[in-house]
Amino acid sequence: MTLVSAHRCLTAADIEAAIALGADFVEIDVQRTADGSLVLHHDPIDVAPPDLLRYDEALALIAGRTRAHLDLKFQGDEVAAVARAVDLLDADDLLVTTHDDVAVRAIRDWADVAGHSLMVGLSLGRGVRGFAMWQAVKVRVSELWPEVRYHDSRANVVVAHHTLARLRVGRFARRHRLPLLVWTVDTKRSLAYWMKPGRAWLVTTNEPALALGLRAGRISP
């Protein structure tokens, strides 16, 4: 059975709605402000507006009710953020993803020392807008042939944009017997494809109700 992660739940209402739907994971984007506070926000931020949901508040809403998908959007102190989530939820209820290879390795090493069986994914498919052509090509090549990056980072979940997953990364995950997370899948046609058993372990979507309906057979492909 393909699991469903409700994408970009940034408010208490978003989290409650995803839980009410029965999403297997609630994805929260975690940013760190200039003063070191952790908040739910997608883009970099210096000073957090007072209406942003705090990280601890979000974890408390999720704890004991469903599983949390932490998408870490900042660099530095990622291990501390994950350790806090483990304290409040338990490692078995967590999935951690980030684009940063070094952070993945640090989190995996910490989890091993702490005795936690933690799922940590290296995300493939980062934006390359503003990159020089050679830099953009280098990034895409490293994503389509990610063997070295996965070996060095020790990621134990393959996380890929749906285009990369179809091109080559899905085969890479199957060959190495690693669970595959595909993001962000929103159309009915794409969801019907990726929700078929055996194609992905987890699908991240802005349309969790549609994904769950397809999985249960309440909605025809």
Side-chain angles (χ1 to χ4, degrees), residues 117-195:
S117 180
L118 187 64
M119 304 190 77
V120 188
L122 174 63
S123 297
L124 306 174
R126 65 180 299 183
V128 293
R129 181 177 297 175
F131 284 31
M133 179 63 72
W134 69 269
Q135 290 175 312
V137 170
K138 183 178 179 180
V139 168
R140 289 293 177 254
V141 168
S142 78
E143 292 175 335
L144 283 168
W145 286 269
E147 285 82 356
V148 172
R149 293 182 64 190
Y150 269 79
H151 176 270
D152 291 348
S153 69
R154 300 188 62 234
N156 56 7
V157 180
V158 176
V159 183
H161 185 272
H162 59 87
T163 302
L164 292 175
R166 286 194 188 231
L167 286 174
R168 187 177 184 274
V169 178
R171 294 194 300 275
F172 164 78
R174 289 190 293 273
R175 187 169 67 252
H176 291 274
R177 298 184 179 179
L178 291 170
L180 173 66
L181 184 164
V182 182
W183 60 273
T184 300
V185 185
D186 290 336
T187 68
K188 184 178 180 181
R189 182 178 180 181
S190 291
L191 280 169
Y193 176 85
W194 285 113
M195 292 301 295

Side-chain angles (χ1 to χ4, degrees), residues 1-220:
M1 179 179 71
T2 305
L3 302 181
V4 174
S5 179
H7 183 241
R8 203 175 293 186
C9 295
L10 300 180
T11 68
D14 293 338
I15 293 171
E16 293 291 352
I19 293 172
L21 279 173
D24 303 292
F25 284 86
V26 172
E27 188 214 45
I28 58 176
D29 294 336
V30 186
Q31 284 283 7
R32 187 180 62 179
T33 64
D35 66 1
S37 299
L38 295 177
V39 296
L40 268 55
H41 201 261
H42 183 267
D43 300 315
I45 186 171
D46 292 324
V47 179
D51 60 337
L52 288 185
L53 190 63
R54 300 285 170 170
Y55 181 55
D56 276 9
E57 294 172 336
L59 294 176
L61 286 172
I62 296 169
R65 304 172 71 194
T66 190
R67 287 171 281 186
H69 172 186
L70 312 179
D71 195 18
L72 304 181
K73 300 293 189 182
F74 64 94
Q75 290 184 309
D77 295 332
E78 293 97 338
V79 169
V82 173
R84 180 59 175 159
V86 170
D87 286 342
L88 294 177
L89 274 77
D90 195 75
D92 292 339
D93 292 328
L94 286 176
L95 164 66
V96 183
T97 59
T98 173
H99 287 284
D100 189 271
D101 303 49
V102 174
V104 172
R105 178 66 185 243
I107 295 165
R108 286 278 285 128
D109 289 349
W110 168 82
D112 284 351
V113 171
H116 300 305
S117 180
L118 187 64
M119 304 190 77
V120 188
L122 174 63
S123 297
L124 306 174
R126 65 180 299 183
V128 293
R129 181 177 297 175
F131 284 31
M133 179 63 72
W134 69 269
Q135 290 175 312
V137 170
K138 183 178 179 180
V139 168
R140 289 293 177 254
V141 168
S142 78
E143 292 175 335
L144 283 168
W145 286 269
E147 285 82 356
V148 172
R149 293 182 64 190
Y150 269 79
H151 176 270
D152 291 348
S153 69
R154 300 188 62 234
N156 56 7
V157 180
V158 176
V159 183
H161 185 272
H162 59 87
T163 302
L164 292 175
R166 286 194 188 231
L167 286 174
R168 187 177 184 274
V169 178
R171 294 194 300 275
F172 164 78
R174 289 190 293 273
R175 187 169 67 252
H176 291 274
R177 298 184 179 179
L178 291 170
L180 173 66
L181 184 164
V182 182
W183 60 273
T184 300
V185 185
D186 290 336
T187 68
K188 184 178 180 181
R189 182 178 180 181
S190 291
L191 280 169
Y193 176 85
W194 285 113
M195 292 301 295
K196 287 185 178 179
R199 287 189 172 155
W201 164 67
L202 177 69
V203 169
T204 298
T205 178
N206 290 302
E207 302 292 341
L210 176 57
L212 292 167
L214 286 165
R215 186 175 75 184
R218 295 191 302 270
I219 300 174
S220 60

